[in-house]
Amino acid sequence: MKQPAIIIPEGCREVLLHACCAPCSSAIVEWMLANGVRPTIFYYNPNIFPREEYEIRKNESKRHAEGLGLTWIDGDYNHEQWLEGLMSQRDGSFVTSAGDVTKEPSLCDIQQAPERGIRCERCFVYRLKVVAQKAKELGLRYFATTLASSRWKSLEQINRAGHLAEQAVEGTTFWDQNWRRGGLQERRNQLLKEFNFYNQQYCGCEFSKS
């Protein structure tokens, strides 16, 4: 029997949805509302640089959520703390782009890592741990992320990060879902035009922009 494209976790009627941007959130939010799940939107993206870019994306996310009557929460923006967080994580062995194995990546390794590399995974872990903590504070068991809707990101990395976050914050559960399925990618592109969203041209951090 063919499995449905999107599966709602048992008992999930509310979820803290980490929103990376309004375009990526739109189809997911629409689907949730149509299927009996009410999302609270948590905009937590200290990776975005420069600050002006962050504010544009933040305001678009807020506009979208409030237009639908949803609760929207603004996460703290501390880009320097985010950068420090990338360096403070420990991954064990690491293979550089040159094929050399080191115990821990240097700052240069992290800065020069390709998209879907170690920098992205550390970024996901850092942000999703904060999301899980926020879910616990709000009394919400489930949390999810719109990062899993982007075809430019590694779904495997996102899911690993989400499960690390749920392990770090007792009482939370990561909604492990491929949000590109079920026609949501196509619907995202439609809603992008309908809402006239600002559509960014790079992931967010200065390293992805270069």
Side-chain angles (χ1 to χ4, degrees):
M1 181 182 296
K2 185 178 180 181
Q3 294 294 315
I6 299 173
I7 301 175
I8 301 174
E10 184 177 357
C12 179
R13 293 294 176 265
E14 293 183 87
V15 63
L16 183 64
L17 180 63
H18 166 246
C20 58
C21 65
C24 287
S25 305
S26 57
I28 298 173
V29 168
E30 182 181 72
W31 186 94
M32 286 181 171
L33 291 173
N35 287 275
V37 179
R38 188 167 186 83
T40 293
I41 310 301
F42 184 38
Y43 186 81
Y44 180 69
N45 303 291
N47 58 303
I48 297 174
F49 185 86
R51 180 66 183 255
E52 291 77 13
E53 177 75 16
Y54 171 85
E55 293 294 337
I56 292 171
R57 298 189 196 188
K58 182 185 79 171
N59 290 333
E60 285 289 80
S61 176
K62 185 177 182 181
R63 173 171 74 91
H64 174 237
E66 293 185 345
L68 296 173
L70 297 174
T71 300
W72 181 90
I73 301 172
D74 186 4
D76 293 332
Y77 180 78
N78 190 326
H79 191 69
E80 290 302 317
Q81 189 176 72
W82 171 80
L83 286 170
E84 292 173 4
L86 293 190
M87 291 304 300
S88 66
Q89 292 184 42
R90 292 293 176 262
D91 310 289
S93 61
F94 171 68
V95 181
T96 68
S97 58
D100 302 319
V101 178
T102 63
K103 271 296 182 183
E104 290 293 340
S106 66
L107 176 61
C108 184
D109 289 328
I110 291 174
Q111 291 176 339
Q112 295 181 3
E115 290 296 290
R116 302 185 181 182
I118 191 171
R119 182 183 65 250
C120 291
E121 184 152 358
R122 283 189 172 197
C123 179
F124 300 152
V125 171
Y126 182 91
R127 289 150 76 191
L128 291 183
K129 282 184 177 180
V130 173
V131 176
Q133 186 60 49
K134 177 60 69 173
K136 184 170 185 176
E137 290 174 10
L138 296 172
L140 297 174
R141 173 182 173 184
Y142 291 100
F143 67 98
T145 178
T146 64
L147 289 166
S149 70
S150 173
R151 62 192 179 94
W152 303 111
K153 297 301 178 187
S154 165
L155 189 61
E156 291 75 18
Q157 285 186 334
I158 293 165
N159 287 339
R160 280 197 298 271
H163 290 301
L164 283 172
E166 72 177 3
Q167 292 167 20
V169 183
E170 185 179 358
T172 64
T173 300
F174 177 59
W175 186 348
D176 183 335
Q177 179 64 58
N178 183 349
W179 294 107
R180 305 165 200 170
R181 302 178 66 182
L184 294 192
Q185 187 67 38
E186 294 78 9
R187 183 59 178 152
R188 172 201 183 280
N189 295 332
Q190 293 171 353
L191 291 170
L192 174 67
K193 296 176 182 178
E194 289 181 21
F195 281 90
N196 193 29
F197 287 133
Y198 166 73
N199 192 25
Q200 56 272 10
Q201 300 302 312
Y202 65 104
C203 170
C205 74
E206 57 265 50
F207 312 117
S208 65
K209 187 177 182 181
S210 59

